[in-house]
Amino acid sequence: MKTLLASIVPFALAAMIGATPALAAEEAAGGTPHYPIHHPKEVEWSFAGPFGTFEKAQLQRGLKVYSEVCAACHSMHLVPFRTLSALGYSEDQVKSFAATHETEDGPNVDGEMFTRASVPSDYFPSPFPNVEAAAAANNGAAPPDFSLLAKARYVERGFPQFIFDMFTTYQEAGPNYIYSLLTGYEEAPAGVVVPEGAHYNPYFIAGPALAMAQPISDGQVTYDDGAPETLDQYAKDVAAFMMWAAEPHLEARKHLGFKVMIFLLIFSALLYLTKKAIYSRMDH
Amino acid sequence: MSGDHSTYNPTTGFGKWMDSRLPLMRLTHDSFVSYPVPRNLNYAYTFGAILSMMLVVQLLTGIVLAMHYAASTGIAFNSVEHIMRDVNFGWLLRYMHANGASFFFVAVYLHIARGMYYGSYKAPREVLWILGVVILLLMMATAFMGYVLPWGQMSFWGATVITGFFTAFPGIGETIQQFLLGGFAVDNATLNRFYSLHYLLPFMIAGVVVLHVWALHVTGQTNPTGIEIKSKTDTVQFTPYATIKDGLATSVFLLVFCWFVFYMPNFLGHADNYIQANSLKTPAHIVPEWYFLPFYAILRAITFSIGPIDSKLGGVLAMFGSIAVLFLLPWLDTSKVRSAVYRPWYKLFFWLFVANAIFLGWLGAKPAEGTYTTLAQISTLFYFAFFLVILPVLGLIETPRRLPNSITEAVLAKRSGSGGSKPAAAAASPETRG
């Protein structure tokens, strides 16, 4: 097996490295432009790596940014209020936070739908009744739902980076993309035609410009924990919050993973010693 | 499966009573305890055990997932998220199942590579090999249909593209496609039948696995020398020798598997599949899962028409042909020598084949344009040339290295070569010790 692997790798590397420069050159020479124009910036996230955990204060700030800014257009319909206790809120805090929202319920005894204050078992209400309404109100482009967005965006990292990613357990492409997009708005360079109603952003994954204008800027949301009220901080906080919304059991997964890894390492070591003892009886 | 190696000796009253009525324990004992295996099996021979474990992992996680999943276009996507968020350890079940599919293919490709390297498919093991290729085909169908179930963007568009292949066949193509889809487009009927088949096929795999193991136990295992077992000193008992080696390899394999499940569960998937299926919005790149990429590259490499066969049909035929050719492998390889260890040229071409297969996989993930297409055509040509030209010709012109007379001789030669100090008599008869 050792020789098997040792022989595969150099062949594969040689084959790929040999081919890559030629291809890159051709891409640069023209043809279809590739988006995003810039690769996402890389942020140091508290939840990255095998021992990563969410920073509760950051998630609370992210929730604040979402509620005060993003929620005006973006739904988050898979996330129930009850799960907010994971952000460090007490049961009462979750209840009173939910109560600041309205949920449609019914039908009542008269057969009519009605709205009532939300309770923890309700899900975040959506700002628009349906996708069509969302698109109509936003220049034809419906704002994507936030529930899974942090896992639904990935910018190709290419060879050989994706090999290294297996060892560094890189799973933060989504939050990096969101952070980069929020902080990436700029004036369109000369020669780039930005369609009417679109906004230039070299980090946007599907073109040079997107329908969303820069949604947030310095000082727009008041933090009560002393964190800087800057675009940079807002973007980080809301991206971290979105990662939590998309992967609420991330911490439990990594905690359990550590135990499983320790178990398997010890188990493998014991099996190895047993194997050695058994095979010492003979030549093989 | 029971042969002259049967050493099962029931000791309890119930054991004896049962043995004369249904010798299930004898069968198990003879197959997995006293069964003789070559003494020189290396770790490349542990993937059978690893694959058995992965099949069980997929079945168990899949059965529990099915208790929470709903196969309906309106709620399938959200029911998967319900599993991820609300079901106790649902995230673990789902990540194990999704990554389990990938690692099933990791193991099966290494298993196949081992079979090719050591010539395991040669007489009298042709049926064993063919059953293995049948399992591979069933696995591919199962994995493809399983990927459709979460009803994400890549599920939907992958299903659309793959079932679209069948329209390439003249005359009956569209009928076949509509039969597969249960309609004119990928929709609720498609999702439901894929779910039904995704639940059925793994049990068919299990059935063919039984035949595969049966065939294996009839012919006996090959080994790195490719020489058949000649005497008792060539073999050791399955338990403890093969059992402990399989156990260790399985445990190490699980370590790698768990690294992905717990620390990077979405690395092998597509981000687009976290967006619910939308028939009006085509993703920028429709790419299959990594384990289909080499075949996808072959499909797209055919960009030209050959006589009455247009490029689309040509691509589909090339893709199916790339698997079909595996069925013929036992007869395409004309060499009498099994193991690549004694075939210097075959060894070289084998590793080129492996590198080429990986390269095809990389090309499959790239857009089908410009240089990529040319490279894919060269790679595809080599893929088929390996089976249809290189293997038949090599067997006729290659001068193999001298083969040892027996497994025991090979083992002892290796041992004395590396400075072993055991008395030859004791080493030559492991059964008398231990």
Side-chain angles (χ1 to χ4, degrees):
Chain A
M1 239 1 255
K2 258 177 278 165
T3 46
L4 216 88
L5 285 176
S7 313
I8 292 178
V9 173
F11 270 121
L13 290 183
M16 289 177 179
I17 290 167
T20 306
L23 297 169
E26 197 194 28
E27 272 178 21
T32 35
H34 289 255
Y35 297 111
I37 295 166
H38 295 332
H39 267 262
K41 307 168 200 170
E42 288 186 26
V43 180
E44 293 238 344
W45 300 104
S46 68
F47 47 82
F51 301 103
T53 53
F54 288 119
E55 203 184 299
K56 287 199 171 84
Q58 181 173 47
L59 297 187
Q60 295 194 358
R61 293 196 301 270
L63 172 64
K64 199 159 197 280
V65 173
Y66 170 70
S67 302
E68 292 182 16
V69 183
C70 321
C73 303
H74 290 275
S75 60
M76 194 165 63
H77 74 286
L78 294 172
V79 179
F81 292 111
R82 60 184 156 80
T83 56
L84 291 176
S85 57
L87 273 56
Y89 293 115
S90 70
E91 207 174 310
D92 285 337
Q93 283 173 311
V94 172
K95 256 185 205 164
S96 54
F97 179 80
T100 61
H101 296 74
E102 282 191 334
T103 297
E104 188 181 52
D105 204 347
N108 61 14
V109 283
D110 299 322
E112 276 160 27
M113 303 301 284
F114 59 94
T115 51
R116 55 160 175 79
S118 302
V119 294
S121 60
D122 288 324
Y123 289 74
F124 272 84
S126 303
F128 300 102
N130 50 56
V131 182
E132 286 73 12
N138 287 281
N139 209 6
D145 185 82
F146 267 20
S147 316
L148 285 164
L149 206 55
K151 290 199 287 187
R153 293 291 182 277
Y154 179 83
V155 176
E156 284 299 327
R157 305 212 344 134
F159 179 83
Q161 186 60 51
F162 81 89
I163 305 272
F164 302 147
D165 288 347
M166 291 189 210
F167 297 95
T168 59
T169 70
Y170 181 74
Q171 288 275 274
E172 290 74 41
N176 279 337
Y177 172 76
I178 292 162
Y179 167 80
S180 305
L181 189 77
L182 288 174
T183 57
Y185 284 91
E186 58 183 54
E187 284 293 315
V192 175
V193 184
V194 176
E196 179 73 23
H199 307 271
Y200 181 77
N201 190 324
Y203 294 95
F204 184 52
I205 198 165
L210 69 163
M212 177 173 74
Q214 178 166 338
I216 188 167
S217 46
D218 288 346
Q220 197 172 334
V221 177
T222 311
Y223 280 157
D224 36 24
D225 65 351
E229 294 169 1
T230 58
L231 167 63
D232 187 76
Q233 191 62 38
Y234 295 149
K236 277 180 188 157
D237 293 346
V238 82
F241 171 72
M242 288 167 72
M243 188 68 221
W244 169 79
E247 188 80 6
H249 298 299
L250 178 143
E251 288 184 2
R253 166 160 61 78
K254 292 185 176 181
H255 285 162
L256 181 59
F258 183 65
K259 291 177 198 160
V260 170
M261 284 292 162
I262 295 292
F263 170 82
L264 281 174
L265 278 172
I266 295 173
F267 188 56
S268 299
L270 291 174
L271 282 173
Y272 172 71
L273 294 173
T274 314
K275 185 245 155 195
K276 240 178 108 172
I278 289 171
Y279 274 78
S280 69
R281 300 171 192 171
M282 59 158 234
D283 285 329
H284 56 92
Chain B
M1 276 187 222
S2 55
D4 55 357
H5 59 270
S6 185
T7 56
Y8 180 64
N9 194 12
T11 48
T12 64
F14 175 73
K16 285 175 187 150
W17 184 86
M18 199 62 192
D19 194 48
S20 54
R21 284 159 180 81
L22 180 70
L24 192 63
M25 281 312 291
R26 179 178 297 278
L27 178 72
T28 311
H29 185 273
D30 295 351
S31 306
F32 301 108
V33 180
S34 65
Y35 183 73
V37 296
R39 60 191 286 177
N40 58 341
L41 295 185
N42 59 26
Y43 282 103
Y45 285 82
T46 58
F47 288 102
I50 290 169
L51 285 162
S52 310
M53 174 202 62
M54 287 314 295
L55 180 60
V56 172
V57 167
Q58 290 303 85
L59 282 169
L60 291 180
T61 54
I63 287 168
V64 182
L65 286 170
M67 297 173 190
H68 301 280
Y69 170 77
S72 168
T73 53
I75 50 174
F77 185 85
N78 287 354
S79 77
V80 171
E81 276 309 307
H82 160 70
I83 291 169
M84 290 295 290
R85 290 160 191 270
D86 297 332
V87 173
N88 290 332
F89 291 98
W91 55 268
L92 178 59
L93 289 168
R94 198 257 177 149
Y95 279 152
M96 277 177 79
H97 198 71
N99 286 284
S102 276
F103 275 80
F104 209 145
F105 276 95
V106 169
V108 89
Y109 285 147
L110 290 171
H111 191 61
I112 292 168
R114 189 272 295 152
M116 288 174 66
Y117 187 81
Y118 292 121
S120 304
Y121 46 81
K122 291 186 191 181
R125 295 181 182 80
E126 301 95 326
V127 173
L128 173 60
W129 170 263
I130 286 170
L131 287 168
V133 182
V134 170
I135 294 172
L136 174 68
L137 274 176
L138 286 171
M139 273 177 66
M140 288 177 149
T142 309
F144 161 64
M145 288 189 281
Y147 196 65
V148 176
L149 303 186
W151 207 243
Q153 272 288 67
M154 213 51 97
S155 301
F156 179 89
W157 290 98
T160 303
V161 170
I162 307 261
T163 53
F165 294 162
F166 291 91
T167 61
F169 294 108
I172 50 165
E174 283 195 16
T175 313
I176 296 176
Q177 189 207 20
Q178 285 164 19
F179 179 69
L180 289 172
L181 293 178
F184 300 104
V186 176
D187 209 335
N188 204 50
T190 319
L191 180 61
N192 270 298
R193 62 187 53 202
F194 278 18
Y195 182 45
S196 172
L197 292 172
H198 184 71
Y199 209 116
L200 170 70
L201 290 190
F203 294 97
M204 290 176 66
I205 292 177
V208 184
V209 166
V210 170
L211 297 180
H212 191 65
V213 174
W214 185 9
L216 173 74
H217 282 234
V218 169
T219 60
Q221 279 177 289
T222 54
N223 63 85
T225 65
I227 303 161
E228 291 291 348
I229 293 165
K230 286 175 183 160
S231 70
K232 207 158 182 253
T233 61
D234 287 346
T235 66
V236 287
Q237 281 202 5
F238 191 95
T239 301
Y241 294 98
T243 320
I244 190 69
K245 218 165 193 174
D246 284 347
L248 174 56
T250 305
S251 187
V252 172
F253 188 84
L254 275 176
L255 259 174
V256 184
F257 174 49
C258 287
W259 179 261
F260 279 80
V261 168
F262 289 105
Y263 297 139
M264 41 191 338
N266 294 307
F267 180 80
L268 296 165
H270 287 287
D272 272 358
N273 231 28
Y274 279 112
I275 305 168
Q276 190 164 358
N278 183 347
S279 59
L280 302 175
K281 217 173 181 176
T282 317
H285 297 288
I286 303 174
V287 184
E289 289 292 85
W290 70 266
Y291 39 81
F292 292 138
L293 288 174
F295 306 102
Y296 194 55
I298 290 174
L299 170 89
R300 297 188 307 174
I302 312 300
T303 52
F304 45 86
S305 303
I306 310 161
I309 301 170
D310 64 6
S311 61
K312 187 179 176 188
L313 180 58
V316 172
L317 290 177
M319 186 183 66
F320 286 128
S322 66
I323 311 252
V325 74
L326 291 174
F327 283 104
L328 304 175
L329 180 56
W331 296 277
L332 289 172
D333 187 346
T334 51
S335 173
K336 295 250 182 320
V337 178
R338 277 207 190 88
S339 172
V341 173
Y342 305 101
R343 298 184 60 191
W345 283 101
Y346 174 67
K347 193 192 252 178
L348 171 72
F349 281 109
F350 170 82
W351 289 116
L352 285 175
F353 177 79
V354 170
N356 184 61
I358 294 171
F359 188 54
L360 273 173
W362 181 72
L363 287 169
K366 293 283 156 193
E369 57 191 29
T371 323
Y372 295 121
T373 305
T374 317
L375 289 170
Q377 286 166 350
I378 297 168
S379 275
T380 302
L381 188 67
F382 179 81
Y383 182 96
F384 284 103
F386 176 81
F387 289 108
L388 301 176
V389 181
I390 295 171
L391 276 180
V393 173
L394 217 51
L396 304 176
I397 60 170
E398 185 182 38
T399 315
R401 288 169 49 200
R402 195 190 72 82
L403 290 167
N405 292 314
S406 71
I407 296 171
T408 308
E409 187 192 289
V411 169
L412 295 181
K414 198 173 149 195
R415 175 61 52 166
S416 60
S418 60
S421 58
K422 283 205 182 76
S429 52
E431 294 296 325
T432 59
R433 313 183 68 224

